[in-house]
Amino acid sequence: QVQLVESGGGWVQPGGSLRLSCAASGDIYTVYTMNWYRQSPEKQRELVASITSIGNTNYADSVKGRFTISRDNAKNTVYLQMNSLKPEDTAVYYCNADLMRYSDFEVAHYWGKGTLVTVSS
């Protein structure tokens, strides 16, 4: 089995910062691209940022210059540093990853359960 567990969400005032983490564990041979998505009641789930296994990154226009995605391959962990947060960043943030399982060498797509980020004064 594979688990993705997010942490680091919470409440922050506008202009503040938070750092999210997502650790993948279990039946893992290698992890490929890791992504952060977010979803609020008013919007569909959207891709916030992604990072490949060699560190190439991509960001949604709405977070460019404010958010930074990074990863620690030795720990199978991805991070999202969020600065200059705005009320419109309020959402549940989900981690997902494409990875190869050790047990059968099949590539599969996994999601975490999400962590809530609330930006308000």
Side-chain angles (χ1 to χ4, degrees), residues 33 35 37 96-99 101 107-111:
T33 299
N35 308 293
Y37 283 77
N96 83 1
D98 292 320
L99 58 88
R101 292 190 295 257
V107 177
H109 195 66
Y110 290 90
W111 288 88

Side-chain angles (χ1 to χ4, degrees), residues 1-5 23-28 110-111 113:
Q1 290 187 351
V2 173
Q3 280 191 315
L4 271 65
V5 179
S25 63
D27 182 19
I28 297 172
Y110 290 90
W111 288 88
K113 294 184 178 180

Side-chain angles (χ1 to χ4, degrees), residues 33-101:
T33 299
M34 302 185 82
N35 308 293
W36 285 100
Y37 283 77
R38 66 185 181 187
Q39 186 168 21
S40 63
E42 300 82 19
K43 298 180 182 179
Q44 292 184 333
R45 188 173 294 192
E46 63 172 342
L47 178 63
V48 175
S50 61
I51 185 167
T52 68
S53 58
I54 60 172
N56 295 323
T57 59
N58 192 37
Y59 296 92
D61 288 342
S62 59
V63 306
K64 281 180 181 176
R66 301 188 298 121
F67 291 9
T68 302
I69 189 170
S70 61
R71 64 190 285 170
D72 184 335
N73 288 335
K75 297 180 179 179
N76 290 330
T77 298
V78 63
Y79 306 96
L80 187 68
Q81 178 66 44
M82 305 185 294
N83 300 327
S84 302
L85 281 160
K86 304 175 181 179
E88 51 264 42
D89 294 319
T90 296
V92 178
Y93 284 72
Y94 297 91
C95 165
N96 83 1
D98 292 320
L99 58 88
M100 178 179 285
R101 292 190 295 257

